[in-house]
Amino acid sequence: MKGYNKYLRPFFDNGPVTVGMSLDIASIDTISEINMDYTATIFLRQRWTDERLVFDGNKSLSLDGRLVELLWVPDTFIVDSKKSFLHDITVENRLIRIFPNGTVLYALRITTTVACNMDLTKYPMDKQTCTLQLESWGYNINDVMFYWTRGNESVSGLDTLKLAQYTVEDHYTSVSEAIYETGQYPKLVFHFELKRSILYFILETYVPSSLLVVLSWVSFWISQSSVPARVCIGVTTVLTMTTLMMGARTSLPNANCFIKAIDVYLGICFSFIFGALIEYAVAHFCTLNHPDTNMLMYRQRMQEFEDEMNGIVTTISSDSERAKRRSKKAAAAATKTGGPSGTAGDTELTVRPASPTGSEPKPEGPPEKAPNRCLTVLAVVRKVLRRAMNCCHVENPHYIDNYSRVTFPLSFVMVNLLYWIYYLYF
């Protein structure tokens, strides 16, 4: 190594130094949605050829990692790294190996926290694509060129990697150039796609929120007169749902740009629970402003009974009137056969039916029916107008619960179908 200068890069006919790289992903410790980053421990291996290090022999030479300070090494850095460190227990985790043809293998063990821009609109049914970008800090493309040693197979370790909430679906590598004001620099990019496991969120959030919605429907089968029971169920489910929503948001960024899928579902469940509470308020209000159903039935039966009694009285009075007429006709016939007073008797019989005390109300019938029809028409018009102007008016407030027992579950099932179809397939 006589005349070796570590501050000068290797020269190959004034061409750039080609540096091959490969990665071994030891672990991905945390993936944070709040900070939008991930922390990974990687083994970074770099290979290049330096003719100044050629030596005779057929075996490679492994050196102490502390001799790195005496050699030229590429100034590779991780672009989106927020915090990184090199492991130094028990010594600095560096590896230097020199081959007889001057090829240098330089390996590092690094733990780094890298930024990852995440789209959380479909959280927790989302897929995130994160990258690990490697660039040269000071040497541009005229001095150094980067390449992956084995293409997509240059990155290993993901197949056996186990993550808490994610599974690695796909990964690939790419080569590009970074353009800055100071020039163009070599750049290697490793892409990997993470799919979130939804089972945890189904057990932790979706199932409890759905059960709370079902619990709020129990009030539909409780009597409207049981005010404490129904109000207690409604208020308890609303408060529990609020607590569940707050707990689900603690692990997510408070960004207004993201309306997440889990927020939509929790909002739907909260709306149904709150709607069940409002339903009882409306039903109870209508109950207070309407007679009780049993009282309505009682009054209807009493009216039918009165109508029946009036019919019986009318029949009895008609029979008595007909009996009186028959007796009068018999007396008139006897008088006619006995003396000259038959004409007067006939006249009396002819006049009496027309007297005010007559029992036949035929001339007075039509004037009585006309006012009844007018009142009926006015009552119908007033009833229609009242229904149009007052949406809370119902004939029987207990029907509100009967309708709610069907409409609430059906609506919730339909909304769930639309929700899952949209977020899973679109």
Side-chain angles (χ1 to χ4, degrees), residues 24 31 49 62 70 74 90 95 107 124 148 157 198 255-256 264 375 379 408 410 413 421:
D24 189 357
I31 300 174
T49 301
S62 296
L70 303 177
T90 59
L95 181 146
W148 293 106
I198 195 176
N256 295 328
V264 175
L375 292 175
F408 271 75
L410 288 180
V413 170
I421 290 174

Side-chain angles (χ1 to χ4, degrees), residues 44 229 404:
L44 174 61
S404 299

Side-chain angles (χ1 to χ4, degrees), residues 111-347:
T111 295
T112 178
T113 301
V114 185
C116 178
N117 295 325
M118 299 182 182
D119 183 7
L120 299 175
T121 54
K122 289 189 175 182
Y123 178 92
M125 293 167 281
D126 56 330
K127 295 181 180 179
Q128 306 297 339
T129 300
C130 298
T131 60
L132 181 65
Q133 304 179 38
L134 303 173
E135 292 183 11
S136 175
W137 176 255
Y139 296 104
N140 57 28
I141 58 176
N142 296 322
D143 299 322
V144 174
M145 290 296 296
F146 288 167
Y147 70 95
W148 293 106
T149 55
R150 298 185 303 276
N152 291 336
E153 297 180 357
S154 300
V155 180
S156 60
L158 289 177
D159 297 335
T160 59
L161 198 62
K162 300 296 182 181
L163 301 178
Q165 294 186 12
Y166 292 90
T167 56
V168 181
E169 284 203 330
D170 190 17
H171 63 89
Y172 59 94
T173 59
S174 64
V175 180
S176 62
E177 295 180 358
I179 301 176
Y180 299 102
E181 185 179 355
T182 55
Q184 298 180 356
Y185 298 87
K187 181 178 181 179
L188 298 181
V189 185
F190 167 58
H191 309 261
F192 58 98
E193 188 177 274
L194 299 173
K195 182 180 180 181
R196 195 184 304 272
S197 301
I198 195 176
L199 181 60
Y200 167 79
F201 296 93
I202 290 177
L203 299 177
E204 186 74 13
T205 304
Y206 284 96
V207 171
S209 57
S210 301
L211 292 179
L212 284 175
V213 175
V214 176
L215 179 61
S216 66
W217 299 340
V218 175
S219 62
F220 300 151
W221 277 266
I222 300 177
S223 175
Q224 293 184 2
S225 60
S226 302
V227 178
R230 297 194 63 165
V231 172
C232 181
I233 291 178
V235 174
T236 302
T237 51
V238 168
L239 294 178
T240 307
M241 192 66 208
T242 304
T243 305
L244 188 63
M245 294 173 67
M246 294 176 62
R249 292 173 180 171
T250 54
S251 60
L252 296 175
N254 297 322
N256 295 328
C257 57
F258 291 119
I259 300 178
K260 299 171 284 296
I262 194 170
D263 293 336
V264 175
Y265 192 83
L266 292 175
I268 292 171
C269 294
F270 184 83
S271 300
F272 273 91
I273 293 174
F274 189 76
L277 182 61
I278 295 299
E279 182 272 344
Y280 176 63
V282 173
H284 188 65
F285 176 79
C286 294
T287 303
L288 295 178
N289 289 273
H290 289 77
D292 188 54
T293 307
N294 296 329
M295 185 60 68
L296 289 174
M297 297 177 62
Y298 174 75
R299 291 183 178 179
Q300 183 177 1
R301 291 179 181 177
M302 290 300 296
Q303 185 65 32
E304 293 176 356
F305 178 74
E306 291 179 0
D307 294 340
E308 185 178 357
M309 292 301 297
N310 291 333
I312 295 174
V313 171
T314 303
T315 303
I316 294 174
S317 61
S318 300
D319 293 341
S320 62
E321 289 297 331
R322 283 195 292 269
K324 289 180 181 180
R325 289 198 201 101
R326 291 195 190 98
S327 62
K328 289 179 180 179
K329 288 182 180 179
T335 304
K336 184 176 180 180
T337 55
S341 59
T343 305
D346 293 339
T347 303

